[in-house]
């Protein structure tokens, strides 16, 4: 492709963009045509992206897309976009050190891995978005349709970023300037909180319970009703049932549009909260959080501030009334107070988790890391963000599984992330090039893979492999990652040491791994004290939930235990510090007001809409910790040794083709499973069972239906036995 062809391609792409805009005006009637155009646009973006001088900031406005969306299709165009605002160097494609062959790892017993020919702080919104994306996916509310989840979706291969060769890459191995994680010197301020069931109108505040008329359940009607009966000290209201932001979902093509309409509707006398004027330690953010399942509305009326929050960020209430939900929060606070005398339940489990962790940072003079944990350079943080995925979600379709399943069993790892916090990466990483790794002895190589580490690798699936995939491969599209398992297939990816070790040393057939580059940290335990305290709180609440004589207390204890789990789960995810995506508008003709680093994503002739992706300075940004926990959890989903029982558990210890689906820390299988369960973090608990033939699910909705039926059937069986 030459320059003329490239410019012609941009012009054609702009035409496609305009066609897309026209189609969207009548989306309900022309949905199929829109999908065709978007597919055409993506194909053109991919083709243009192959041009050597292509730039995402030119293709994005031409396509009517954001840089994030363009780089999801053509990762080579902007792998370091998250650090763009800080003038981070461009991350090039993978380039091995000249003259340094990638070493072929071997098993400890010197058995060679099989070889195969390779087939060819602007505002608070970003923090909330980061929290809701952290950790495992949350089940969506009932919707008309859910997107299908395919097994090993091939899509288009997505190239992951690499560390630049030589001194440019070595310059990344530094701590971020003036960013250190230190224990806070202030105490969080408590928020006065109420609980509201929007379906029934039941409102609970401290020891007072009553019912109020919520009118049409609009934001205006709810704020007017609660403000009339609650004292001005109340600043946060948890919605325990009703999801009022979904009340007009049938009127909109997308659920998120319905939520946006509900949040942005006029509320007489109230304005969107600005977050200004708050005291130190006040957990107050600005603006609404637009999220299709877990939105947060923030308003202010003079000096009064009020948030409407879904309880689903903490736990699913499972039909519990607001009084029981309030009791659950009281029990949660008491359980945490045993370990943190200054505990405050903040606006989300993610912020609560990170605040509690910050209060475990060592302060004793002479203690290691007493001066705080250094934050890595923006380049390394951006690299981890782009190359370290979260939980594994995969649905296997016929013919990989029978169209008629003989039965379905759900096995869920109890408090799974708590199993993988005992060791963590600290300090500035050491870069390990292919040449350096090759120069080490076999023992040194093995030790390196057992250290906290993150590796760029070339993977070849072993010959004769007939089980699920072991390592993630990047693809375009919503899935982002797939897990190839075709014998002899070769792909390049990044993975944590836990997963690399599993691929090399699994009991079925070791895969061939070639180290291309890597990051290795000092081993320590930055999360252990925090996680141990949360585990203890979870254990006590779980025990109380199983033994208390009163049913309401059992339910409240169970919900409180689930909230502790969310604090750990979302707290780990909060360390990832995802980039913040901010949008804004300026009138046509005032393009000079578009912020530096922003991309124009829409222009209707009157208003220009821009989008900017940034990393804001965050002293608690530690994506290396989140990446390590996620990698360990994905490996544990496949194989884990229960030493006290001398037995191995996980998907690789089930028959091939018996795996129906993975859902973060759960396995759905057709096999009969009798694994030991002691109620410890990481143990596999039998959560659901359908002991009769069912049709294999082909969508997420169908899988969730089987999940609900399986859990209900198992509960009935257990009640019958009792």
């Amino acid at each position: 492709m030459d320059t003329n062809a490239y410019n012609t391609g941009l012009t054609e792409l702009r035409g496609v963009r305009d066609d897309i805009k026209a189609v969207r005006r009548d989306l309900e009637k022309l949905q199929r045509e829109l999908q065709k155009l978007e597919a055409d646009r993506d194909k053109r973006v991919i083709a243009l992206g192959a041009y050597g001088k292509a730039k995402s900031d030119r293709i994005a406005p031409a396509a009517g897309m954001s840089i994030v969306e363009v780089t999801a299709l053509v990762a080579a165009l902007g792998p370091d976009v998250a650090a763009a605002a800080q003038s981070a160097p461009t991350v090039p494609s993978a380039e091995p050190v000249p003259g340094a062959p990638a070493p072929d790892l071997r098993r400890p017993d010197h058995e060679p891995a099989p070889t195969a020919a390779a087939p060819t702080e602007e505002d608070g919104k970003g923090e909330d978005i980061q929290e809701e994306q952290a950790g495992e996916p949350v089940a969506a509310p009932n919707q008309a349709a859910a997107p299908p989840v395919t097994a090993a979706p091939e899509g288009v291969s997505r190239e992951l970023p690499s560390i630049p060769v030589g001194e440019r890459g070595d310059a990344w191995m530094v701590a971020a300037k003036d960013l250190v994680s230190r224990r806070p010197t202030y105490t969080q301020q408590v928020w006065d909180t109420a609980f509201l069931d929007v379906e029934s109108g039941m409102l609970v505040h401290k020891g007072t319970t009553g019912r109020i008329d919520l009118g049409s359940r609009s934001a205006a009607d709810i704020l007017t009703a609660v403000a009339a009966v609650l004292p001005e000290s109340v600043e946060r209201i948890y919605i325990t049932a009703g999801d009022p932001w979904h009340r007009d979902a049938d009127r909109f093509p997308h659920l998120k549009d319905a939520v946006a309409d509900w949040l942005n509707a006029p509320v007489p006398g109230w304005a969107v909260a600005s977050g200004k004027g708050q005291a130190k330690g006040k957990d107050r953010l600005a603006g609404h959080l637009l999220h299709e399942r877990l939105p947060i509305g923030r308003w202010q009326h003079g000096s009064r501030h009020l948030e409407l929050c879904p309880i689903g960020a903490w736990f699913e209430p499972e039909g519990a009334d607001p009084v029981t939900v309030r009791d659950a929060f009281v029990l949660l606070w008491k359980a945490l107070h045993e370990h943190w005398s200054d505990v405050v339940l903040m606006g989300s489990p993610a912020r609560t988790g990170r605040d509690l962790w910050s209060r475990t940072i060592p302060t004793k003079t002479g203690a290691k890391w007493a001066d705080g944990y250094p934050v890595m350079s923006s380049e390394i943080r951006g690299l981890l963000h782009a190359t370290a995925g979260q939980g594994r979600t995969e649905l296997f379709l016929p013919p990989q599984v029978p169209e008629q399943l003989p039965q379905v069993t759900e096995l869920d790892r109890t408090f799974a992330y708590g199993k993988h916090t005992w060791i963590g990466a600290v300090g500035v990483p050491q870069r390990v090039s292919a040449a350096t790794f090759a120069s080490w002895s076999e023992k040194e190589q093995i030790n390196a893979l057992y250290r906290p580490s993150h590796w760029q690798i070339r993977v070849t699936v072993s010959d004769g492999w007939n089980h699920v995939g072991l390592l993630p491969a990047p693809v375009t599209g919503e899935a982002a990652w797939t897990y190839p398992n075709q014998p002899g297939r070769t792909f390049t990816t990044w993975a944590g040491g836990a997963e690399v070790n599993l691929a090399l040393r699994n009991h079925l057939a070791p895969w061939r791994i070639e180290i291309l580059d890597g990051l290795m940290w000092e081993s320590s335990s930055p999360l252990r004290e925090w996680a141990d305290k949360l585990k203890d709180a979870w254990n006590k609440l779980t025990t109380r939930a199983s033994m208390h004589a009163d049913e309401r207390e059992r339910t409240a204890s169970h919900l409180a235990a689930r909230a502790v789990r969310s604090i750990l789960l979302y707290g780990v995810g909060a360390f990832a510090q995802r980039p913040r995506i901010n949008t804004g508008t300026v009138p046509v003709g005032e393009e000079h007001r578009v912020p530096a680093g922003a991309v124009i994503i829409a222009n209707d002739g009157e208003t220009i809409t821009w989008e900017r992706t940034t990393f804001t300075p965050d002293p608690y940004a530690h994506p290396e910790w989140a990446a390590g926990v996620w990698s360990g959890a994905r490996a544990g989903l496949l194989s884990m040794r229960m030493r006290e029982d001398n037995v191995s558990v996980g998907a690789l210890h089930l028959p091939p083709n018996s795996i129906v689906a993975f859902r973060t820390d759960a396995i759905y299988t057709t096999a009969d499973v009798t694994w030991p369960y002691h109620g410890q973090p990481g143990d596999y608990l039998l959560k659901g069972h359908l002991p009769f033939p069912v049709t294999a699910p082909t969508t997420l909705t169908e899988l969730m239906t089987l999940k609900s039926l399986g859990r209900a059937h198992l509960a009935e069986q257990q009640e019958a036995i009792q």
Side-chain angles (χ1 to χ4, degrees):
M1 180 182 291
D2 57 20
T3 301
N4 289 334
Y6 180 65
N7 291 331
T8 300
L10 287 174
T11 301
E12 294 173 349
L13 185 58
R14 293 188 187 100
V16 175
R17 173 199 62 191
D18 294 339
D19 288 341
I20 290 174
K21 286 183 179 179
V23 169
R24 280 180 171 152
R25 296 191 187 101
D26 195 9
L27 182 61
E28 292 181 356
K29 296 180 180 179
L30 300 174
Q31 186 65 42
R32 291 184 180 178
E33 180 66 20
L34 174 62
Q35 292 173 349
K36 292 179 181 179
L37 289 167
E38 288 180 333
D40 183 23
R41 176 197 63 190
D42 293 350
K43 189 179 299 183
R44 292 169 185 267
V45 167
I46 292 169
L48 291 169
Y51 177 54
K53 297 181 180 180
K55 293 184 178 180
S56 58
D57 59 355
R58 292 197 65 192
I59 294 179
M65 303 167 73
S66 68
I67 286 182
V68 173
E69 291 171 322
V70 170
T71 55
L73 291 171
V74 190
L77 292 181
D80 62 338
V81 66
Q86 301 183 25
S87 302
T90 302
V91 184
S93 302
E95 294 181 48
V97 176
D104 181 4
L105 295 184
R106 299 176 183 273
R107 302 181 71 191
D109 56 5
H110 302 279
E111 177 188 341
T115 60
T120 97
E121 211 143 57
E122 287 176 6
D123 61 32
K125 295 181 181 179
E127 182 174 349
D128 270 331
I129 293 172
Q130 167 182 309
E131 293 166 9
E132 305 308 341
Q133 293 175 338
E136 71 173 8
V138 181
N142 293 331
Q143 301 176 28
V149 182
T150 60
E154 292 302 319
V156 178
S157 294
R158 176 169 53 93
E159 185 178 359
L160 295 178
S162 304
I163 305 173
V165 172
E167 293 182 357
R168 284 186 60 218
D170 294 341
W172 291 13
M173 310 303 147
V174 296
K177 187 178 180 180
D178 300 326
L179 285 181
V180 180
S181 302
R182 294 190 176 95
R183 186 190 288 252
T185 57
Y186 59 87
T187 300
Q188 291 290 350
Q189 298 185 36
V190 178
W191 281 51
D192 195 359
T193 303
F195 301 87
L196 174 65
D197 182 335
V198 175
E199 291 180 347
S200 66
M202 179 182 287
L203 178 65
V204 176
H205 176 236
K206 296 182 178 178
T208 304
T209 302
R211 293 186 184 274
I212 58 176
D213 183 0
L214 298 176
S216 67
R217 272 67 173 174
S218 66
D221 285 351
I222 292 175
L223 288 173
T224 300
V226 298
V229 297
L230 291 175
E232 289 197 9
S233 61
V234 175
E235 295 185 89
R236 179 174 293 132
I237 299 176
Y238 280 113
I239 307 298
T240 65
D243 296 344
W245 38 82
H246 294 154
R247 64 177 191 147
D248 293 328
D250 292 343
R251 292 177 42 223
F252 295 88
H254 303 292
L255 196 60
K256 203 167 186 176
D257 296 335
V259 175
D261 182 76
W262 188 88
L263 287 172
N264 295 323
V267 183
W270 294 79
V272 178
S274 66
K276 296 180 179 179
Q278 60 179 313
K280 185 70 172 177
K282 194 66 176 178
D283 177 31
R284 180 179 291 173
L285 300 179
H288 303 315
L289 165 64
L290 177 57
H291 189 281
E292 66 179 18
R293 292 166 287 148
L294 302 172
I296 297 176
R298 303 183 180 103
W299 294 270
Q300 61 186 41
H301 176 69
S303 61
R304 185 170 189 176
H305 177 97
L306 200 56
E307 283 189 0
L308 298 181
C309 310
I311 202 66
W314 293 88
F315 49 72
E316 289 299 322
E318 301 174 3
D321 60 39
V323 174
T324 304
V325 173
R326 176 207 58 194
D327 292 347
F329 270 77
V330 172
L331 289 172
L332 171 64
W333 182 87
K334 289 180 177 179
L336 296 175
H337 188 260
E338 291 185 19
H339 299 287
W340 288 277
S341 60
D342 55 354
V343 59
V344 171
L345 299 181
M346 300 172 68
S348 72
R351 292 205 298 278
T352 302
R354 200 161 71 163
D355 180 68
L356 293 178
W357 171 79
S358 71
R359 298 173 194 280
T360 66
I361 298 174
T363 57
K364 185 177 179 180
T365 303
K368 195 165 189 180
W369 311 112
D371 294 331
Y373 293 102
V375 174
M376 293 180 301
S377 67
S378 61
E379 292 86 355
I380 292 297
R381 282 181 279 144
L383 179 76
L384 286 169
H385 168 68
T387 61
Q390 298 184 31
R392 179 171 180 169
T393 300
E394 196 172 11
L395 178 61
F396 296 89
L397 306 177
Q400 292 175 294
V401 296
E403 292 187 1
Q404 196 73 4
L405 305 177
Q407 63 174 12
V408 176
T409 299
E410 178 194 0
L411 299 158
D412 187 73
R413 296 188 72 202
T414 297
F415 209 58
Y417 283 9
K419 179 75 173 179
H420 305 286
T421 53
W422 67 279
I423 190 171
V426 290
V428 174
Q430 171 189 350
R431 182 182 186 180
V432 181
S433 67
T436 298
F437 194 89
S439 70
W440 288 347
S441 68
E442 183 177 344
K443 182 178 180 180
E444 288 173 322
Q445 292 179 355
I446 292 171
N447 289 340
L449 291 173
Y450 277 106
R451 291 261 300 269
S453 53
H454 193 58
W455 303 94
Q456 185 180 35
I457 53 179
R458 184 176 295 117
V459 182
T460 301
V461 181
S462 63
D463 289 335
W465 185 261
N466 68 343
H467 220 296
V468 298
L470 303 183
L471 291 165
V475 292
T476 59
E478 186 175 344
W481 302 93
T482 185
Y483 293 81
N485 65 344
Q486 300 86 356
R489 176 167 173 181
T490 295
F491 59 96
T492 300
T493 190
W494 284 82
E499 293 169 282
V500 176
N501 266 313
L502 176 68
L504 282 168
R505 299 179 177 89
N506 72 83
H507 67 288
L508 297 177
W511 288 19
R512 177 174 176 172
I513 306 293
E514 299 174 75
I515 296 292
L516 305 178
D517 213 337
L519 300 170
M520 186 173 66
W521 289 265
E522 180 181 340
S523 295
S524 189
S525 51
L527 302 179
R528 188 182 300 177
E529 180 183 350
W530 172 71
D532 285 348
K533 290 179 176 181
L534 291 176
K535 290 177 197 175
D536 183 71
W538 174 80
N539 269 317
K540 290 178 178 177
L541 289 167
T542 300
T543 300
R544 191 177 190 273
S546 65
M547 299 181 65
H548 204 287
D550 183 78
E551 182 177 355
R552 180 183 290 273
E553 290 294 326
R554 290 198 303 271
T555 300
S557 300
H558 168 71
L559 296 179
R562 298 294 292 175
V564 174
R565 174 183 178 274
S566 294
I567 289 173
L568 179 70
L569 183 75
Y570 289 107
V572 166
F575 288 119
Q577 197 229 2
R578 283 164 177 75
R580 301 186 179 196
I581 300 175
N582 298 286
T583 61
T585 59
V586 297
V588 170
E590 298 186 26
E591 288 84 348
H592 62 280
R593 291 174 52 196
V594 176
V599 174
I600 295 174
I601 59 174
N603 184 340
D604 62 6
E606 298 181 359
T607 302
I608 293 172
T609 303
W610 56 263
E611 179 177 275
R612 181 170 62 172
T613 304
T614 62
F615 265 155
T616 57
D618 184 351
Y620 298 121
H622 290 284
E624 69 275 20
W625 297 347
V629 172
W630 293 335
S631 177
R634 290 193 299 268
L637 193 66
L638 297 174
S639 185
M640 182 184 71
R641 187 71 176 169
M642 299 184 71
R643 300 187 185 281
E644 65 276 21
D645 298 287
N646 193 30
V647 63
S648 293
V649 299
L652 292 185
H653 304 280
L654 296 173
N657 299 321
S658 72
I659 309 298
V660 177
F662 292 117
R663 292 286 294 170
T664 306
D665 51 9
I667 300 173
Y668 296 82
T669 178
T670 59
D672 291 316
V673 184
T674 57
W675 293 337
Y677 181 75
H678 305 293
Q680 296 302 309
D683 287 1
Y684 280 92
L685 174 64
L686 177 63
K687 292 291 288 287
H689 186 50
L690 291 174
F692 45 78
V694 295
T695 302
T698 58
T699 65
L700 176 60
T701 299
E702 293 174 359
L703 178 64
M704 292 299 97
T705 298
L706 289 183
K707 170 185 172 180
S708 298
L709 292 174
R711 291 190 174 187
H713 186 274
L714 181 63
E716 291 176 1
Q717 287 183 318
Q718 292 171 339
E719 288 179 6
I721 294 174
Q722 295 174 355

